[in-house]
């Protein structure tokens, strides 16, 4: 009761002061007071706010000449402090000719406590974190509105589209208690999205452009968000206009179910007519006069858009980009091409106006490089194709940035044409700025898969290696200041496993001896345990190669192998036993490859062609050929850039010898041919059973082995895969994004055969589906999980429904 009386008395005093001030409010703007000295500044109404804090935010002070604008600015500044509900000012002339300025300040109420009422879906703590006000602080109407807005947004993010939030003003004024009253309403989930009036584009295509999505159990919340719907309407409007539907109108409607828990979103579209290009006019921009570099006929020939075509934004941008690229190639790096349109009468036609600012032609001056503290200049200059003294190709600015980023050596790369040289205005230098990344890594991890079983990995990698830069001290080595900077690659890897163990070392140089040829050298030891025997392989190889243009690569390789087959078990094919070795042979090979894939990790366009020929020499002598073709097509792309892609791949190979060893023949199955077991697609050979101990001499069936006993043991025979001379594979796979960029689904069909002759008589076909899990901290390769079923197989094939592969770093 006492607190209420105190507040009432304070309110009466404030009202009296307000009346007194309003009665003389015209004094502030009194022109007769301007420039008179201020003798006194009075602050009325202060209780808990210190007078000095207020004066620190005021411009008006005793001794200063009077200015009405300064008084108005003080009032605004004091309002912005948030401490006062009202701020008014008055000025009056004193008998001595000076001015007294009086400020009446009504302090904001103090928020004694903050409470939320009616919240069930969200806790008090969650709501309190969204409220910027705090107990003991002054009332702030702006923060109060922000609090209501943030609470609503928090509820809407949880699907409570109909939430209502109000503030109990009476309790706040009377007792200083801030109470947010919440009516949560039901959780609304979008069950269906419908498009009405769309004739030019199917609903699936339009749905890919918007962010509002229907609810899917575990995968998508399907929350209804009004702000998101407004954005979606604008997105659909722009999508139609970019494709020539200039008169399109888009709106949306939300229909709630009877219980208000489910919603149907309807996008209503009036498409109008699709406009077409009637004519093209090309002019020089501004006061440049006429075009001098290209004729209008030449520029029209570069356009991707022709009269009569639909006036679509992608083709407009492609046309202007082609024109600008032509100017860039000629050294006009400042050239600009702009396009606009005007409607032509009542028909759905537009006239296109292209304005070109040609600028000046420049030659390339010096190429300067900055930011490379470790990487040698020569490594960067290999990727920079500007030629000093030649016309400055403006396209190379973007192309050089792409090559520098694709090298994997830099986090950032920026290429800019500098202002013209003062001594030679026709020349411009090029500045290449890079920000180096850490190119070395020590990796620990495990790998598990149906083909190779379980294994671990310890590897040391350096992608900016320099074999000619040994450390001068141990500290230089441990500090990472040695063996770096030449753009070479180095890898040493220890991969012990249950079924496969590999130990390798490799070094490579993309510019061997500062030439356009690349070189690499590697060595490894691998032990592979197969179901009935083990294979030990020691390998060393040297290779050189060269890029031919931007897409083609030529490589030659010489390798030396020694293979030993051991640990024969009951069921080992006779042919395998007879080739136990050790076998030593060399392989000389040459290959040519064409790669136009747009992205190594997540390709959406382009193709890969690979053809190789090899000659075996030593314990085994025969030639081989092999070719492969893979292409990627984007079937659909949503507004976030997530692509639905189609991969088509095929390969074929042939060994020109029926005596090739089993460890060099062709096999398929497992991850290479889903639906069949690892190496399950292969010709079969007789396997000897019940033959312990193994004879020392080669086996010739039928064979009778004599044991220690007097009786004679007759062995039995069984077929097992031993590889083939001919391989053919053809497959198709569609990958569809499911959840963000992290989860995709694949649908595939694999087909092919492995045989002892060029024949498709024993063809196999499988179909299936699977998941891909892209987890950035686990590297670019996804975790692959596939289920497949063979629909065409041979009676002796070994099948496998589920296959997977995962590499998990520690």
């Amino acid at each position: 009761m006492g607190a209420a009386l105190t507040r009432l008395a304070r309110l009466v005093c404030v009202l009296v002061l307000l009346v007194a001030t309003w009665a003389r409010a015209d004094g502030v703007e009194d022109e007769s007071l301007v420039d008179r000295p201020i003798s006194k500044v009075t602050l009325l109404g202060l209780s808990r706010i210190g007078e000095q804090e207020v004066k620190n935010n005021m411009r008006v002070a005793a001794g200063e000449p009077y200015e009405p604008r300064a008084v108005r600015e003080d009032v605004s500044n004091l309002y912005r402090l948030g401490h006062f509900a009202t701020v008014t000012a008055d000025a009056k002339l004193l008998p001595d000719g000076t001015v007294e300025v009086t400020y009446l300040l009504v302090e904001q109420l103090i928020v004694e406590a903050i409470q939320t009422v009616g919240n069930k879906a969200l806790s008090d703590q969650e709501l309190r974190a969204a409220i910027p006000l705090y107990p003991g602080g002054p009332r702030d109407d702006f923060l109060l509105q922000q609090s209501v807005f943030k609470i609503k947004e928090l509820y809407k993010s949880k699907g409570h589209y109909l939430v209502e939030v109000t503030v109990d003003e009476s309790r706040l004024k009377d007792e200083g208690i801030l109470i947010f009253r919440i009516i949560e309403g039901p959780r609304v989930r979008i069950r269906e999205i419908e498009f009405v009036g769309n004739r030019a584009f199917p609903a699936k295509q339009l749905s890919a452009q918007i962010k509002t999505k229907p609810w899917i159990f575990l995968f998508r919340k399907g929350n209804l968000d009004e702000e998101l719907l407004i954005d979606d309407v604008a997105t659909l409007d722009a999508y139609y206009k970019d494709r020539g539907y200039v008169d399109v109108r888009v709106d949306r409607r939300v229909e709630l179910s009877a219980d208000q828990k489910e919603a149907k979103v309807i996008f209503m579209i009036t498409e109008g007519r699709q406009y077409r290009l009637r004519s093209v006019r090309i002019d020089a921009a501004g006061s440049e006069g006429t075009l001098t570099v290209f004729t209008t006929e030449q520029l029209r020939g570069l356009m991707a858009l022709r009269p009569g075509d639909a006036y679509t934004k992608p083709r407009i941008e492609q046309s202007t980009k082609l024109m600008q690229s032509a100017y860039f190639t000629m050294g006009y790096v400042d050239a600009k091409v702009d396009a606009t349109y005007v409607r032509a009468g009542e028909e759905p036609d537009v006239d296109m106006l292209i304005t070109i600012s040609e600028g000046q032609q420049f030659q390339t001056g010096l190429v300067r490089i900055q930011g490379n503290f470790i990487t040698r200049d020569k490594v960067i200059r290999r990727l920079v194709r500007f030629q000093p003294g030649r016309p400055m190709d403006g396209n190379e600015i973007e192309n050089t940035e792409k090559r520098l980023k694709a090298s994997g050596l830099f986090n950032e790369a920026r290429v800019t044409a500098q202002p013209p040289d003062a001594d030679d205005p026709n020349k411009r230098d090029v500045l290449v700025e890079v920000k180096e990344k850490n190119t070395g890594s020590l990796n620990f991890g495990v790998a598990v898969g149906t083909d190779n079983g379980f294994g671990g990995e310890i590897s040391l990698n350096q992608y900016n290696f320099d074999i000619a830069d040994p450390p001068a001290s141990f500290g230089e080595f441990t500090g990472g200041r040695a063996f770096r900077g030449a753009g070479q690659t180095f890898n040493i890897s220890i991969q012990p496993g249950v079924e496969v163990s590999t130990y390798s070392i490799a070094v490579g140089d993309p510019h061997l001896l500062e030439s356009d040829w690349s070189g690499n050298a590697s060595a490894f030891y691998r032990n592979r345990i197969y179901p009935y025997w083990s294979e030990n392989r020691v390998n060393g190889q040297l290779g050189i190669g060269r890029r031919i243009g931007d897409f083609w690569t030529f490589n030659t390789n010489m390798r030396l192998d020694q293979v030993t087959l051991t640990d024969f078990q009951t069921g080992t094919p006779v042919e395998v036993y007879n080739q136990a070795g050790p076998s030593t042979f060399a392989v000389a090979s040459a290959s040519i490859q064409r790669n136009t894939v747009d992205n190594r990790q997540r390709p959406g366009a382009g193709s890969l062609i690979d053809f190789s020929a090899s000659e075996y020499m030593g314990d085994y002598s025969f030639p081989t050929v092999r070719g492969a073709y893979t292409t990627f097509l984007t079937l659909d792309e949503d507004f976030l850039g997530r692509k639905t892609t189609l991969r088509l791949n095929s390969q074929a190979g042939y060994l020109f010898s029926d005596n090739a060893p089993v460890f060099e023949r062709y096999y398929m199955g497992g991850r290479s041919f889903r639906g069949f077991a690892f190496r399950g697609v292969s010709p079969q050979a007789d396997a000897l059973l019940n033959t312990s101990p193994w004879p020392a001499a080669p086996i010739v069936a039928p064979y009778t082995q004599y044991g220690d006993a007097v009786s004679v043991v007759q062995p039995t025979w069984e077929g097992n895969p031993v590889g083939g001379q001919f391989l053919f594979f053809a497959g198709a796979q569609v990958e569809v994004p499911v959840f963000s960029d992290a989860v995709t689904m694949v649908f595939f069909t694999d087909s092919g055969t492995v045989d002892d002759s060029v024949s498709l008589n024993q063809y196999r076909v499988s179909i299936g589906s699977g998941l891909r899990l892209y987890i950035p901290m686990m590297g670019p390769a996804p975790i692959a999980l596939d289920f497949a079923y063979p629909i065409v197989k041979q009676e002796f094939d070994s099948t496998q429904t589920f296959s997977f592969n995962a590499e998990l770093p520690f």
Side-chain angles (χ1 to χ4, degrees):
M1 184 68 178
L5 291 175
T6 301
R7 287 194 179 90
L8 181 61
R10 186 181 299 174
L11 181 60
V12 171
C13 293
V14 168
L15 291 174
V16 171
L17 289 170
L18 282 173
V19 170
T21 303
W22 289 336
R24 50 182 185 172
D26 291 339
V28 173
E29 301 296 334
D30 191 345
E31 294 292 333
S32 65
L33 302 181
V34 176
D35 290 335
R36 290 179 178 273
I38 298 173
S39 61
K40 186 177 182 182
V41 177
T42 304
L43 302 176
L44 301 177
L46 293 179
S47 174
R48 56 183 177 80
I49 308 299
E51 184 174 316
Q52 189 59 46
E53 181 181 353
V54 175
K55 289 185 176 181
N56 289 342
N57 290 276
M58 292 173 55
R59 178 181 169 187
V60 172
E64 298 289 332
Y66 180 78
E67 294 182 25
R69 187 176 68 176
V71 176
R72 292 194 299 270
E73 289 178 355
D74 282 350
V75 171
S76 298
N77 290 337
L78 294 175
Y79 262 123
R80 282 196 289 268
L81 290 177
H83 295 314
F84 306 105
T86 60
V87 179
T88 55
D90 180 45
K92 68 178 180 179
L93 182 65
L94 298 178
D96 60 0
T98 62
V99 178
E100 178 184 4
V101 181
T102 303
Y103 292 90
L104 177 61
L105 305 131
V106 179
E107 295 179 346
Q108 288 278 21
L109 293 172
I110 296 297
V111 178
E112 302 291 348
I114 298 176
Q115 299 176 6
T116 55
V117 178
N119 54 303
K120 297 178 181 178
L122 295 172
S123 66
D124 291 346
Q125 291 76 14
E126 289 177 292
L127 295 176
R128 187 65 189 88
I131 300 172
L133 293 165
Y134 56 92
R139 168 176 176 158
D140 188 318
D141 288 339
F142 174 77
L143 294 181
L144 199 59
Q145 294 175 0
Q146 284 290 101
S147 299
V148 172
F149 175 78
K150 288 184 177 182
I151 291 173
K152 286 185 176 181
E153 288 300 303
L154 196 57
Y155 268 98
K156 288 180 179 179
S157 69
K158 301 294 184 181
H160 293 267
Y161 172 70
L162 302 173
V163 64
E164 294 182 9
V165 181
T166 58
V167 175
D168 191 332
E169 289 286 352
S170 60
R171 292 288 299 275
L172 182 59
K173 291 178 181 178
D174 296 342
E175 303 176 26
I177 300 176
L178 175 58
I179 300 176
F180 294 95
R181 299 192 180 277
I182 302 168
I183 301 176
E184 295 181 331
R187 183 175 181 179
V188 183
R189 289 173 172 167
I190 301 173
R191 286 289 185 176
E192 184 182 356
I193 295 177
E194 182 181 354
F195 296 89
V196 176
N198 56 308
R199 298 185 303 274
F201 306 105
K204 181 179 179 182
Q205 188 171 345
L206 296 177
S207 180
Q209 312 307 316
I210 61 176
K211 295 182 180 179
T212 301
K213 301 293 181 183
W215 174 77
I216 298 178
F217 179 66
L218 294 180
F219 290 102
R220 208 154 50 203
K221 295 180 180 179
N223 292 338
L224 189 60
D225 188 328
E226 186 66 29
E227 297 297 325
L228 203 58
L229 289 176
I230 295 173
D231 292 341
D232 288 341
V233 167
T235 298
L236 292 173
D237 181 81
Y239 186 79
Y240 268 92
K241 288 179 177 176
D242 289 347
R243 284 149 184 82
Y245 292 86
V246 179
D247 299 326
V248 68
R249 297 179 65 186
V250 183
D251 203 351
R252 88 284 182 195
R253 185 172 76 247
V254 177
E255 294 182 356
L256 296 175
S257 62
D259 60 2
Q260 295 187 329
K261 293 183 178 180
E262 296 181 352
K264 178 181 180 180
V265 178
I266 302 173
F267 289 96
M268 299 165 291
I269 302 170
T270 304
E271 293 181 335
R273 301 173 296 179
Q274 186 181 38
Y275 281 68
R276 297 189 175 275
L277 180 65
R278 187 179 73 169
S279 65
V280 178
R281 178 181 171 183
I282 303 176
D283 291 330
S287 59
E288 291 191 10
T290 60
L291 300 174
T292 60
V293 182
F294 300 103
T295 65
T296 55
E297 288 76 16
Q298 288 173 320
L299 293 171
R300 283 194 179 96
L302 294 172
M303 292 183 62
L305 198 62
R306 296 285 187 270
D309 291 344
Y311 192 74
T312 60
K313 185 176 181 181
R315 297 180 73 179
I316 297 169
E317 292 178 344
Q318 184 182 0
S319 298
T320 56
K321 188 174 181 179
L322 287 170
M323 292 183 187
Q324 191 171 47
S325 177
Y327 275 96
F328 283 174
T329 302
M330 300 295 291
Y332 292 82
V333 295
D334 295 328
K336 294 182 180 179
V337 181
D338 296 311
T340 187
Y341 71 92
V342 293
R343 300 188 188 186
E346 296 297 325
E347 296 299 318
D349 294 327
V350 297
D351 293 331
M352 184 176 181
L353 175 62
I354 297 177
T355 55
I356 299 177
S357 176
E358 293 182 324
Q360 178 185 344
Q361 185 183 42
F362 292 98
Q363 291 183 336
T364 305
L366 298 177
V367 177
R368 294 183 285 123
I369 299 173
Q370 292 182 358
N372 55 317
F373 300 104
I374 296 174
T375 308
R376 311 283 186 266
D377 274 11
K378 63 183 181 182
V379 175
I380 299 175
R381 291 185 186 277
R382 294 168 188 159
L383 304 172
V384 180
R385 298 180 183 173
F386 288 100
Q387 300 182 23
R390 298 292 301 275
M392 177 177 284
D393 188 349
N395 298 304
E396 273 303 303
I397 293 177
E398 181 180 354
N399 294 338
T400 299
E401 288 181 350
K402 289 181 178 179
R403 285 192 292 270
L404 289 169
K405 292 175 182 177
S407 69
L409 303 179
F410 310 105
N411 284 321
E412 298 176 12
R414 184 167 177 248
V415 181
T416 52
Q418 299 302 290
D421 193 322
D423 298 328
D424 188 352
N426 294 322
K427 279 190 176 181
R428 297 177 70 171
D429 294 342
V430 176
L431 177 62
V432 180
E433 299 172 283
V434 296
K435 185 176 180 180
E436 294 176 311
K437 67 190 297 185
N438 183 13
T439 54
S441 62
L442 178 61
N443 304 313
F444 302 88
V446 296
V448 59
T450 48
D451 287 0
N452 297 323
F454 179 84
E457 177 184 6
I458 303 174
S459 64
L460 176 64
N461 302 289
Q462 177 56 257
Y463 300 105
N464 196 7
F465 188 65
D466 187 356
I467 198 171
D469 181 29
S473 65
F474 183 74
E476 190 174 83
F477 175 75
T478 56
R481 299 188 300 275
F483 291 123
R484 294 181 66 189
Q488 301 165 359
T489 59
F490 175 80
N491 169 268
I492 184 169
S493 178
I494 301 173
Q495 298 174 309
V498 176
E499 297 180 19
V500 184
S501 297
T502 305
Y503 309 90
S504 63
I505 184 170
V507 63
D509 191 338
H511 291 272
L512 190 62
L513 301 176
E514 301 305 318
S515 70
D516 292 331
W517 291 83
S518 62
N520 62 82
S522 64
F524 74 80
Y525 167 78
R526 183 176 66 212
N527 171 255
R528 171 86 206 210
I529 302 175
Y530 294 106
Y532 301 106
W533 73 92
S534 297
E535 177 189 302
N536 298 309
R537 184 185 293 259
V538 179
N539 170 284
Q541 55 184 312
L542 297 172
I544 59 172
R546 179 169 180 167
R547 290 193 66 87
I548 306 171
D550 290 328
F551 304 121
W552 291 89
T553 306
F554 171 75
N555 291 288
T556 60
N557 185 281
M558 175 64 74
R559 89 174 201 250
L560 181 65
D561 285 29
Q562 184 180 79
V563 179
T564 305
L565 306 180
T566 61
D567 300 330
F568 300 114
Q569 305 293 322
T570 298
T572 300
V574 176
E575 199 168 352
V576 173
Y577 174 75
N578 289 338
Q579 295 172 355
S583 303
T584 303
F585 54 91
V587 183
S589 62
S591 66
I592 188 165
Q593 185 182 86
R594 182 180 186 272
N595 189 343
T596 61
V597 173
D598 61 345
N599 186 298
R600 293 181 181 180
Q601 280 76 42
R602 305 286 286 270
S607 61
L608 177 64
I609 301 172
D610 191 356
F611 178 81
S612 63
S614 303
E615 180 67 37
Y616 284 69
M617 299 166 286
D619 290 345
Y620 297 97
S621 299
F622 56 90
T624 71
V625 292
R626 188 163 186 167
Y629 174 75
T630 304
T631 186
F632 296 91
L633 302 170
T634 296
L635 303 180
D636 188 28
E637 183 174 357
D638 64 16
F639 69 98
L640 293 176
R642 300 177 301 183
K643 299 177 180 180
T644 297
T645 58
L646 170 65
R647 184 190 72 189
L648 301 172
N649 60 307
S650 61
Q651 59 174 313
Y654 188 71
L655 305 174
F656 292 86
S657 173
D658 12 358
N659 293 320
V662 293
F663 43 81
E664 293 298 310
R665 294 178 187 171
Y666 296 127
Y667 301 84
M668 284 198 299
R671 298 299 303 162
S672 65
F673 197 147
R674 290 160 291 190
F676 295 88
F678 177 66
R679 285 195 165 188
V681 178
S682 164
Q684 306 289 305
D686 288 334
L688 195 58
L689 302 178
N690 305 324
T691 56
S692 179
W694 280 88
I699 301 173
V700 180
Y703 173 76
T704 301
Q705 176 185 346
Y706 295 90
D708 295 334
V710 176
S711 61
V712 176
V713 179
Q714 178 66 41
T716 59
W717 302 83
E718 182 183 80
N720 268 321
V722 291
Q725 293 176 244
F726 171 70
L727 174 144
F728 178 79
F729 177 85
Q733 176 174 291
V734 175
E735 185 169 1
V736 183
V738 174
F739 179 75
S740 183
D741 283 330
V743 182
T744 63
M745 285 195 70
V746 295
F747 304 91
F748 58 85
T749 177
D750 291 347
S751 69
T753 187
V754 176
D755 210 332
D756 283 328
S757 61
V758 181
S759 171
L760 300 180
N761 292 333
Q762 297 184 345
Y763 207 72
R764 287 92 163 170
V765 180
S766 68
I767 59 173
S769 62
L771 286 176
R772 298 292 181 269
L773 308 179
Y774 293 89
I775 305 175
M777 66 280 300
M778 294 184 180
I783 297 175
L785 309 168
D786 289 325
F787 293 87
Y789 178 76
I791 57 176
V792 178
K793 64 178 182 176
Q794 304 303 316
E795 61 180 358
F796 49 81
D797 289 339
S798 177
T799 62
Q800 178 178 280
T801 302
F802 176 65
S803 65
F804 72 97
N805 187 70
E807 296 180 4
L808 310 174
F810 292 153

